[in-house]
Amino acid sequence: MNQTLNVNTTSRNMISKILESHTLEQLNKIPDGFRNNLIWNIAHVVVTQQLLVYKISGLPMMVSDEMIEKYKKGTKPEQDATQAEVDKIKSLLFSTIEKTKEDFSNGIFKNYQEYPTSTGFVLTSVEGAMNFNNYHEGLHVGVLMSIRKLV
């Protein structure tokens, strides 16, 4: 599991570099041909990891219900993110993964509910959820790399 978590940390490091190298205006810009922006994609990966790993395990999440509603699958930006929101998302990028590492070490993931993803893959364990999460984040890192060239 350490390797899976290290892959997730690497993904978050890449995402953090993109976040750090763009202005608030750039983070909020939706380029032609896209339905989301940089900050939506960044917040979306944080929210998705929490849903896949914690919610489906029946455990408390580190993200608010408001953040989930704003950045869950199927949403799109309805208004620009504020600097305060960006700062919160930035803090959650790594704190959520550090907490996940700690929680894995402490063996708190005991009751994972089977979950069929929209790709057709069925998650049956928290380990599978983290592996799927890394795939999901990889897709969004690709989207981030495309968007950053257009903002």
Side-chain angles (χ1 to χ4, degrees):
M1 197 65 213
N2 285 339
Q3 189 172 22
T4 299
L5 290 163
N6 288 340
V7 168
N8 199 206
T9 300
T10 300
S11 169
R12 297 293 173 100
N13 282 326
M14 293 176 71
I15 292 168
S16 178
K17 287 177 185 169
I18 293 169
L19 179 61
E20 293 290 334
S21 63
H22 290 83
T23 65
L24 182 60
E25 181 180 348
Q26 290 172 316
L27 291 171
N28 280 301
K29 182 175 181 182
I30 302 173
D32 289 342
F34 289 84
R35 67 180 298 232
N36 295 309
N37 53 30
L38 290 172
I39 198 61
W40 183 92
N41 278 277
I42 294 168
H44 173 72
V45 299
V46 171
V47 163
T48 300
Q49 185 268 345
Q50 290 288 289
L51 291 169
L52 288 173
V53 175
Y54 285 87
K55 182 170 184 164
I56 300 172
S57 293
L59 297 168
M61 295 180 288
M62 293 178 65
V63 295
S64 68
D65 290 343
E66 176 187 29
M67 188 172 175
I68 292 166
E69 287 304 310
K70 196 169 183 178
Y71 297 108
K72 69 183 178 182
K73 180 183 172 188
T75 64
K76 62 181 183 176
E78 300 296 335
Q79 67 224 2
D80 284 353
T82 65
Q83 187 61 53
E85 289 172 301
V86 170
D87 293 344
K88 178 66 174 173
I89 293 162
K90 181 180 173 182
S91 76
L92 287 166
L93 260 182
F94 293 104
S95 63
T96 51
I97 300 309
E98 290 307 313
K99 177 77 168 132
T100 303
K101 287 178 182 178
E102 177 186 320
D103 290 343
F104 265 106
S105 293
N106 292 331
I108 72 159
F109 297 103
K110 297 187 187 303
N111 298 312
Y112 197 83
Q113 300 298 310
E114 189 173 285
Y115 177 75
T117 68
S118 60
T119 64
F121 189 77
V122 179
L123 303 177
T124 59
S125 69
V126 72
E127 292 84 5
M130 278 304 300
N131 285 323
F132 182 81
N133 181 71
N134 285 346
Y135 158 76
H136 176 260
E137 285 198 21
L139 293 174
H140 284 277
V141 167
V143 171
L144 288 164
M145 291 177 154
S146 295
I147 291 175
R148 74 180 182 170
K149 294 175 182 177
L150 302 172
V151 297

